[in-house]
Amino acid sequence: MPLFKGKPSHLLAALSAVLFVTVAGCGAGAGKDSASIERPEPVVEDTPDPQQTHSWPLTGVSAEEAEFGPALSVKIENSPGARPQGGLDRADIVWEQLVEGGMTRFVAMFHSDLPEAIGPVRSVRPMDAAIAGQVGGGLAFSGGQAEYQAKISAAGVSLISHDGGNAGFYRDPNRQGDHRLFGDTEQLLGEVSEAEAPPELFSYPDEGEDPAAVRAGSEANTVETSFPASKPSWQWNGEVWQRMESGQAAHAESGAPLEAANVVVIRVEVRDTGNRDAAGSMVPETVLTGSGEAMVFSGGHVVDGTWEKDGDADPLRLVGADGEELTLAPGKTWVELVPNQGGSVKVS
């Protein structure tokens, strides 16, 4: 039986249509920018809605992509010997937390802007599950007690562990001591077992509207936060918040300043885990479930509110006095987890 029934002219028309589609589907690939990691081309529907817009879920910044990959969170050291850190200026969201000896460390979340290298990479702590669990994806780290790692995994986050043999880690020969371990972003992302994009973590205003701090808050030029052995601060320069370490402008290894569109200050309880580090210091845990006081800094203004969070994998919500969610300015955000006891916040 013939495969095609009908007149020869019909057959010729069908073959021509197939040839046209095949030729039209061929194209050249784009090269890779050596300074950053390129996301794969998004899948776009045949008939996209012209009114449909997309935003990066961790920054609220408009994006052309219709489909996003997973987020990568990295545990980064913040001792003086670790500065300047690699890739920290490229993070969408950075969480600063109290660790042993009154020092702080970061959980930096990368999604919309991917540097080639990130570090120095250090060990996890018990509150990292409640931080990374909000966005899923993977958490890259080096070391940490088994119970902390199990808690992170239970929150739906892929463990990307240097000690566990995951790919993507290397020693920077230009660094010293414990500050040498870095991560190759592309390889680390390849270790993420769950490829779903992160949910939107914070709320942002509609186009043309001001963020909550500008709309309902008061002017602020400086916010000084204090941890027992660290005193980071932020100054509004008319466009963004500039991070300061002990009164000096902070920069990444690239030389780029550490800046943010938003600074969110969360007042938290800190409890003793009962564990000790190698030096015998108490390992603290920031309690990130429940609620507490919050301050949101955007656009040279500040607004007071509260924070709420249920489980480790649930998002942290910022709520204003009217009970509505506080909106942030689209862009990068730093979250300061300042202890209620032993920490302080000063705004001027």
Side-chain angles (χ1 to χ4, degrees):
M1 178 180 293
L3 296 177
F4 183 92
K5 291 183 179 181
K7 295 180 180 181
S9 60
H10 295 169
L11 175 59
L12 181 59
L15 291 174
S16 298
V18 171
L19 179 60
F20 174 77
V21 171
T22 302
V23 173
C26 297
K32 174 183 171 183
D33 183 354
S34 62
S36 62
I37 306 301
E38 295 291 338
R39 288 287 189 188
E41 286 296 322
V43 177
V44 182
E45 297 180 0
D46 292 335
T47 55
D49 181 354
Q51 302 299 319
Q52 186 178 18
T53 60
H54 300 278
S55 298
W56 290 103
L58 301 187
T59 64
V61 174
S62 297
E64 295 180 358
E65 285 84 351
E67 187 172 291
F68 302 119
L72 173 67
S73 298
V74 184
K75 194 62 181 287
I76 299 180
E77 185 182 5
N78 188 39
S79 65
R83 303 170 192 154
Q85 295 91 341
L88 193 57
D89 57 311
R90 307 276 288 276
D92 287 350
I93 304 174
V94 180
W95 301 73
E96 184 164 18
Q97 59 182 219
L98 178 68
V99 292
E100 304 86 86
M103 300 296 295
T104 65
R105 283 186 184 174
F106 302 128
V107 176
M109 297 175 168
F110 299 87
H111 189 239
S112 69
D113 188 10
L114 302 177
E116 289 189 343
I118 307 170
V121 180
R122 294 304 297 268
S123 56
V124 292
R125 293 297 181 270
M127 54 278 193
D128 293 338
I131 296 175
Q134 301 173 97
V135 299
L139 174 62
F141 62 94
S142 174
Q145 298 196 28
E147 61 184 290
Y148 304 160
Q149 297 187 39
K151 191 177 180 184
I152 295 166
S153 181
V157 180
S158 296
L159 301 178
I160 309 174
S161 169
H162 173 249
D163 304 80
N166 289 102
F169 298 95
Y170 66 93
R171 300 284 182 183
D172 185 340
N174 298 315
R175 296 273 181 153
Q176 302 294 321
D178 294 333
H179 319 304
R180 295 182 296 152
L181 187 65
F182 274 63
D184 179 295
T185 307
E186 188 170 24
Q187 292 188 49
L188 295 177
L189 277 169
E191 298 292 289
V192 179
S193 59
E194 180 54 67
E196 289 187 5
E200 184 179 273
L201 187 52
F202 298 119
S203 296
Y204 302 93
D206 294 332
E207 186 175 356
E209 294 185 358
D210 290 324
V214 176
R215 177 177 49 81
S218 56
E219 290 188 5
N221 293 311
T222 303
V223 51
E224 301 175 52
T225 62
S226 175
F227 296 81
S230 182
K231 298 185 182 301
S233 62
W234 295 86
Q235 292 185 357
W236 177 251
N237 65 12
E239 296 183 356
V240 293
W241 295 97
Q242 167 74 58
R243 181 177 173 88
M244 313 291 286
E245 293 278 7
S246 300
Q248 300 296 318
H251 293 79
E253 189 173 45
S254 65
L258 299 183
E259 300 174 337
N262 310 284
V263 178
V264 178
V265 176
I266 302 295
R267 301 308 303 268
V268 295
E269 290 296 321
V270 175
R271 62 190 177 199
D272 184 349
T273 61
N275 296 319
R276 296 293 181 268
D277 67 5
S281 299
M282 178 266 288
V283 177
E285 177 180 7
T286 296
V287 181
L288 265 184
T289 54
S291 61
E293 297 178 358
M295 305 172 75
V296 176
F297 297 81
S298 306
H301 290 71
V302 59
V303 64
D304 293 331
T306 58
W307 65 270
E308 302 172 354
K309 194 175 189 304
D310 295 328
D312 286 344
D314 295 311
L316 183 145
R317 297 178 62 249
L318 297 169
V319 183
D322 58 1
E324 299 294 324
E325 287 201 43
L326 295 173
T327 55
L328 276 60
K332 300 180 185 298
T333 297
W334 279 60
V335 184
E336 303 285 358
L337 303 174
V338 181
N340 286 325
Q341 292 79 35
S344 64
V345 181
K346 180 181 178 181
V347 180
S348 59

